[in-house]
Amino acid sequence: MIRDDMPQRQMICKRCNVPMVKAKTGFRYLTFSFHTELLRCPVCHQVYIPEELVKGRMSAVEMELEDK
């Protein structure tokens, strides 16, 4: 999760070599969709998803949705 109150390193898109910016990003899983703000390249739209988000919140949401 990107928090405004935490100092952040500037992430650079490896493909385009430009700074990534915060952007509303949509996800779909099974029949559900949700949005969150993540770092994304303004040129190629590649999204950076931090490991803690993948292993934490996204994993929990995935398990909840599969149990329905």
Side-chain angles (χ1 to χ4, degrees):
M1 200 173 321
I2 299 168
R3 291 180 34 193
D4 291 327
D5 61 335
M6 295 180 70
Q8 298 243 332
R9 296 184 318 209
Q10 187 176 39
M11 298 295 286
I12 304 294
C13 176
K14 189 170 184 168
R15 180 182 296 163
C16 303
N17 200 34
V18 297
M20 298 181 93
V21 296
K22 288 182 186 179
K24 187 175 179 180
T25 305
F27 292 91
R28 267 190 266 173
Y29 188 76
L30 299 174
T31 59
F32 300 92
S33 63
F34 58 97
H35 295 83
T36 190
E37 196 170 88
L38 292 172
L39 292 177
R40 183 168 55 179
C41 175
V43 177
C44 70
H45 305 287
Q46 179 93 355
V47 176
Y48 171 73
I49 305 174
E51 182 178 0
E52 63 270 8
L53 180 61
V54 172
K55 289 184 176 180
R57 186 171 156 215
M58 289 179 90
S59 179
V61 168
E62 178 183 12
M63 284 189 275
E64 284 181 35
L65 293 175
E66 287 181 358
D67 288 343
K68 288 186 176 186

